[in-house]
Amino acid sequence: MAKTSGLNTRRVLARATAAALTAALVATGAGSAVAADAPVPSASKAPLDVKPSDASKFSTADVQGYAPINGLYGMNSGGYLSSYAPDGYGGLTGRSNAGQVSPDTKFITQVDHNADGESDGLWIVVDGQLHYLKWNTTGSTLVGKGWGIYDRLLSAGNLGGAAADDLIARDKSGVLWLYLGYGNGTLTQRYKVGGGWNTYTHIAGKGDLTGDGKDDIVAKDKSGVLWLYKGTGNYKAPFTSRTRIGGGWNTYNNLVTVGDIDIDGITDLVARDKDGALYVYKGTGRAAAPYKSRVKIGSGGWNTYRILF
Ligand SMILES: [Ca+2]
Ligand SMILES: [Ca+2]
Ligand SMILES: [Ca+2]
């Protein structure tokens, strides 16, 4: 492939990536990975034939490093997984079957172990147990018990400074905790981030929103205000103090980030409204105004998913 400017090259890669992902997901089909009895999860994901390239090859002035590129997954009430890949044109491809997990699953989140911008597996909480599931395998590894104490859980990228993605979880008293990933699905002990996080209804993040190369998160409070927490890369104090992004976000009943949807190198935010329509807020890379105006990428029906991840 001839080298072109960063963003153009990036889009070509994205189209190829989306096509490969879509083809392989279709190929795995409906018969793949039917789960055994709960809570053993299984799921499938196509290997990406074209991987995101590192930033040095395609660097541009306004892009510090490339955001992760992953499919968006939904789990319905039966535990069936559907996947939607970025289509390379700012939206998502059509639905593909992606396996099944226990219908009792409480949380699912994608995790990237080697900082190549592509998830390698899932952390899943079922019946108070945290399992790790590597993509394209059946069965799972028990990571730990006692996870029923958490009411929010996600891998928001790399928050602790090492290469592997980490996990954050909020307990029912509102304390946010950080577990550092070892890069194989297992985790360190937890580190206390701080209290008061039960003011938030949603927490999302995967990648750098502010252009400094450190992964950030956003959180929506009960009054509908969305806040930015800039990542520090220091596991002992992983976030700076919050800054206000804007209000009116209570129109949404879910917020999730899987990475870069429009493949411009900056991570984006996906929001689902109460009518089941899906929107993308494209990241700008600027902390002062981290998102552009929303773009509708799903006309309806997205409320069929109990979990988006
Ligand atoms: Ca990876
Ligand atoms: Ca950042
Ligand atoms: Ca983007």
Side-chain angles (χ1 to χ4, degrees), residues 46-266:
L48 293 173
D49 293 336
V50 181
K51 297 188 178 179
S53 298
D54 66 83
S56 61
K57 290 181 184 173
F58 308 116
S59 60
T60 57
D62 58 342
V63 178
Q64 288 286 321
Y66 285 126
I69 301 176
N70 293 299
L72 173 67
Y73 292 80
M75 188 201 89
N76 71 11
S77 59
Y80 290 95
L81 305 181
S82 297
S83 69
Y84 303 83
D87 65 5
Y89 298 91
L92 299 170
T93 60
R95 192 188 74 82
S96 297
N97 295 321
Q100 187 183 8
V101 295
S102 166
D104 297 327
T105 295
K106 187 172 180 187
F107 304 109
I108 315 180
T109 186
Q110 300 186 57
V111 53
D112 176 13
H113 294 316
N114 55 359
D116 68 350
E118 181 187 331
S119 69
D120 304 299
L122 304 170
W123 277 312
I124 300 179
V125 175
V126 183
D127 294 336
Q129 297 182 337
L130 178 70
H131 298 263
Y132 173 65
L133 173 58
K134 196 171 182 229
W135 282 124
N136 296 316
T137 60
T138 55
S140 60
T141 305
L142 178 64
V143 178
K145 298 180 179 177
W147 288 74
I149 62 172
Y150 297 119
D151 66 4
R152 295 290 183 281
L153 180 147
L154 72 155
S155 175
N158 164 20
L159 299 174
D165 278 3
D166 307 312
L167 186 66
I168 52 176
R170 184 185 73 186
D171 70 28
K172 289 168 184 172
S173 72
V175 175
L176 191 70
W177 301 89
L178 171 64
Y179 293 82
L180 303 178
Y182 280 117
N184 59 4
T186 63
L187 296 161
T188 64
Q189 67 180 82
R190 67 181 190 174
Y191 297 91
K192 187 176 182 178
V193 176
W197 287 77
N198 44 358
T199 188
Y200 299 118
T201 59
H202 295 84
I203 302 170
K206 196 173 282 296
D208 174 24
L209 266 176
T210 64
D212 63 358
K214 295 185 171 64
D215 291 354
D216 311 300
I217 63 170
V218 296
K220 181 180 81 69
D221 70 23
K222 289 168 183 166
S223 72
V225 174
L226 191 69
W227 301 88
L228 168 67
Y229 283 87
K230 284 181 66 176
T232 64
N234 173 9
Y235 71 93
K236 292 176 181 171
F239 303 114
T240 61
S241 56
R242 70 181 190 176
T243 55
R244 191 178 191 274
I245 295 175
W249 290 76
N250 271 346
T251 188
Y252 302 116
N253 64 14
N254 206 338
L255 300 176
V256 62
T257 295
V258 296
D260 190 5
I261 298 293
D262 67 335
I263 324 291
D264 67 347
I266 303 168

Side-chain angles (χ1 to χ4, degrees), residues 8-30:
N8 287 339
T9 303
R10 188 75 171 160
R11 290 205 174 94
V12 171
L13 284 172
R15 285 172 197 146
T17 300
L21 181 57
T22 303
L25 283 169
V26 169
T28 60

Side-chain angles (χ1 to χ4, degrees), residues 67 259-269 280-284:
D260 190 5
I261 298 293
D262 67 335
I263 324 291
D264 67 347
I266 303 168
T267 193
D268 307 314
L269 178 66
V280 63
Y281 285 83
K282 298 178 181 181
T284 64

